[in-house]
Amino acid sequence: MAPKWGIKFAVYLITNHFGKIVAKVCENLLDHGALTLDLVIRYTELSPEHVKNSLLVLIKHNCVQVFVAQGGDEDGSRAKTQYMVLFDNILHRLRFPKFIEIVSGELDDKCAKFFEGLLRDGILNTKQMVDRESQGKENAVAAAAVRESLLKLLMARYVERCPLPEARIVEGEIITKKRGAKGAQDVIVMEKQIQLIQALQKIMQKRT
Amino acid sequence: MAGRGYGRGRGRGGFQSYARPEPFVLFPEDINLPDAKLGENVASMKHLIKWDLSFDSYFKAAPYLLDDTESKGRKRMHVERFSDKKKIAFTRDSLSQVLYYDEFVKELVPGKSKQMLSRKKFRWNPEADAKKLAFFEELEKKFLAEEGKDKKKKKEESEDEDENEEGKESEDDFNDGDYNQNVDYDDDDDDFNDVEAGNGIITLLMKMSIKILWRMIVCSSCGCFHTSMDYC
């Protein structure tokens, strides 16, 4: 549980980046802990659309973790999806310039540029990264080039692949939701999605 | 007396005086702060500040910053002036342009909800009805067979009776209809509420409304609710 002033600071950071509506959702999640969508709507007294959008933004920027609590029916029809705010990741937003500085120092400028893109837009897949890079250029950037610099970032563990959208918690372990044999293939084929948690932690360790 | 006593107390305890309140100075001038030691880090600090500013400016214009568009709309209710035209230059991208919805939970994705059942569950299953129909047909046949037996028995009995009581042709012949039997016949009389007892009009109205409701239910059951077949 985050301290009172910590919550205030986190809410201030979120207000600066995403506005008051998202900050209100974030504040309620920080105050009450993990909540379902219905409860978030009830506590914030915002319209469902606003709450959904702000949760999408928070998930996109890795400030909220989604998980399905144990219980409900066998087919998972009654299992409630819960949203848990990641307090540390919100505070890391203040250190973004420092992270870029470290990455640009260790790796080349291309990697730093990709890294900056990930910090700005949160979760991205390779297609989105290629599109991002080709913006404002006459010729589209080759996917292979993007993959190459992405691989460097992955090897240095500054970025990592996203887990599946809904993690299922079973007896304290976090297991990604099973989707059958076809689903497993999809996961393998699925394009690389990148996340920042591990990278940020590693950078912090190096600095301290 | 009182004054003397006060004096003694003072003598024992010693002379106590409160500290004079000094005016609080917000920015005292006599404090010398050390100079900021930037030294070698000046360049990196400049870079950091530059990145920080670029992040701030990006997030201000990014589609992730959610505005309350309704409140803005209300503000613009007044008659539009020429000077207002300049203000509406910046339009933010919508979230749907940026987000890739496969990455997110289904209940958050607009247009999809987790509670929505698949169409397969609502599909009409004719086999289930055929079984039920066969079952009811069997029941009907059984019932008819039993009725036939009963009638035969009754005929035999009635023939015996006719032989014994030929002369007794009475009003019992009228007992065929439900009307005379007064069983399961609704003669629009309320059995529980007395019409003449004062609530007559209300009870009549109630009855009318119930009848109308009943008709509505019957009508609605004819056409609309095919999907409930599966749940029978």
Side-chain angles (χ1 to χ4, degrees):
Chain A
M1 196 73 187
K4 189 187 160 191
W5 294 107
I7 290 173
K8 277 210 158 190
F9 186 51
V11 170
Y12 168 76
L13 287 175
I14 293 292
T15 317
N16 255 0
H17 283 183
F18 306 128
K20 284 178 184 173
I21 296 167
V22 183
K24 199 174 184 186
V25 172
C26 183
E27 189 179 6
N28 274 284
L29 284 171
L30 281 164
D31 283 337
H32 295 99
L35 294 174
T36 58
L37 178 65
D38 298 335
L39 281 175
V40 177
I41 291 166
R42 191 190 292 172
Y43 286 137
T44 50
E45 295 174 356
L46 291 167
S47 68
E49 197 186 336
H50 274 318
V51 174
K52 281 180 185 177
N53 280 339
S54 34
L55 280 172
L56 282 171
V57 168
L58 287 170
I59 294 165
K60 171 99 175 151
H61 287 273
N62 200 28
C63 297
V64 161
Q65 173 67 49
V66 189
F67 66 93
V68 181
Q70 197 182 15
D73 294 348
E74 284 178 7
D75 58 342
S77 58
R78 281 190 194 175
K80 287 265 176 179
T81 313
Q82 294 198 322
Y83 302 89
M84 185 178 65
V85 75
L86 303 170
F87 177 69
D88 290 342
N89 285 5
I90 294 172
L91 294 191
H92 279 320
R93 301 189 71 76
L94 202 68
R95 303 174 183 125
F96 279 179
K98 194 77 183 169
F99 295 157
I100 294 174
E101 192 194 20
I102 293 162
V103 172
S104 59
E106 282 191 19
L107 303 168
D108 55 349
D109 286 345
K110 242 185 180 178
C111 291
K113 214 175 178 187
F114 282 120
F115 191 74
E116 194 183 340
L118 282 168
L119 287 173
R120 282 185 171 183
D121 288 330
I123 297 168
L124 290 176
N125 58 23
T126 36
K127 196 194 166 217
Q128 282 172 317
M129 289 183 87
V130 172
D131 290 345
R132 227 186 109 84
E133 274 306 297
S134 340
Q135 267 179 1
K137 289 177 184 174
E138 287 180 6
N139 301 322
V141 177
V146 175
R147 273 174 201 278
E148 194 188 329
S149 43
L150 206 58
L151 215 78
K152 277 184 194 171
L153 284 166
L154 275 167
M155 292 301 281
R157 299 196 69 183
Y158 286 133
V159 297
E160 70 173 18
R161 185 188 283 236
C162 278
L164 284 174
E166 279 174 89
R168 187 173 277 270
I169 292 181
V170 182
E171 292 170 8
E173 284 180 69
I174 296 175
I175 300 167
T176 48
K177 199 179 175 184
K178 285 179 184 175
R179 288 184 176 181
K182 202 187 168 189
Q185 283 174 0
D186 286 345
V187 173
I188 296 162
V189 176
M190 198 173 67
E191 282 185 322
K192 283 174 189 171
Q193 294 176 332
I194 316 301
Q195 213 173 20
L196 297 166
I197 318 165
Q198 202 81 33
L200 305 181
Q201 283 172 359
K202 201 187 172 186
I203 294 165
M204 288 311 296
Q205 280 170 6
K206 276 184 182 177
R207 279 283 131 185
T208 54
Chain B
M1 285 295 283
R4 213 189 277 170
Y6 188 62
R8 272 181 204 166
R10 261 190 177 177
R12 278 178 195 170
F15 186 74
Q16 289 179 352
S17 67
Y18 294 103
R20 263 192 177 183
E22 288 177 16
F24 180 74
V25 185
L26 253 180
F27 303 105
E29 288 173 2
D30 55 337
I31 293 172
N32 292 318
L33 290 169
D35 292 332
K37 289 175 184 174
L38 288 171
E40 299 163 1
N41 298 327
V42 177
S44 72
M45 281 293 279
K46 275 182 183 173
H47 276 297
L48 286 178
I49 290 164
K50 201 183 92 187
W51 274 318
D52 196 36
L53 285 172
S54 76
F55 268 115
D56 278 352
S57 57
Y58 172 76
F59 281 117
K60 267 173 196 166
Y64 307 115
L65 200 146
L66 300 183
D67 280 332
D68 201 357
T69 45
E70 288 172 16
S71 63
K72 274 193 173 177
R74 276 174 203 158
K75 278 177 192 171
R76 283 177 201 161
M77 282 296 282
H78 64 80
V79 180
E80 201 175 355
R81 296 171 196 157
F82 182 74
S83 58
D84 289 342
K85 282 183 182 174
K86 287 176 187 173
K87 291 175 187 173
I88 321 163
F90 168 69
T91 47
R92 203 184 297 280
D93 289 351
S94 70
L95 260 183
S96 54
Q97 283 175 299
V98 187
L99 296 183
Y100 190 69
Y101 285 115
D102 287 2
E103 298 160 353
F104 299 105
V105 195
K106 276 179 193 170
E107 68 179 6
L108 294 181
V109 178
K112 280 184 185 178
S113 67
K114 211 183 176 185
Q115 281 86 31
M116 246 169 61
L117 292 167
S118 59
R119 288 198 104 183
K120 274 185 183 176
K121 287 189 178 176
F122 282 120
R123 215 172 271 170
W124 179 51
N125 187 10
E127 286 178 11
D129 291 341
K131 279 178 188 173
K132 274 169 199 165
L133 277 172
F135 175 70
F136 281 122
E137 274 173 6
E138 275 181 16
L139 276 177
E140 214 173 324
K141 277 176 188 173
K142 274 183 186 177
F143 184 70
L144 283 169
E146 280 176 9
E147 264 198 341
K149 281 178 187 176
D150 288 343
K151 274 183 182 175
K152 277 180 184 175
K153 277 182 185 177
K154 273 184 185 176
K155 273 184 182 177
E156 284 170 5
E157 282 172 8
S158 62
E159 278 173 6
D160 293 339
E161 278 173 8
D162 288 342
E163 283 170 8
N164 295 331
E165 301 169 18
E166 277 179 2
K168 280 189 179 180
E169 282 189 32
S170 60
E171 301 105 15
D172 291 347
D173 292 343
F174 291 102
N175 289 350
D176 301 339
D178 284 342
Y179 186 80
N180 286 339
Q181 279 177 0
N182 205 18
V183 179
D184 293 336
Y185 175 73
D186 190 12
D187 55 354
D188 285 347
D189 272 339
D190 200 347
D191 298 327
F192 303 107
N193 299 315
D194 193 3
V195 180
E196 292 169 13
N199 295 327
I201 299 162
I202 298 164
T203 47
L204 268 170
L205 280 169
M206 287 278 284
K207 220 179 247 182
M208 290 278 282
S209 62
I210 288 164
K211 273 188 177 176
I212 291 161
L213 260 174
W214 177 247
R215 274 184 189 172
M216 278 171 72
I217 291 162
V218 168
C219 288
S220 63
S221 65
C222 293
C224 306
F225 306 115
H226 289 295
T227 49
S228 62
M229 293 288 196
D230 268 356
Y231 302 114
C232 290

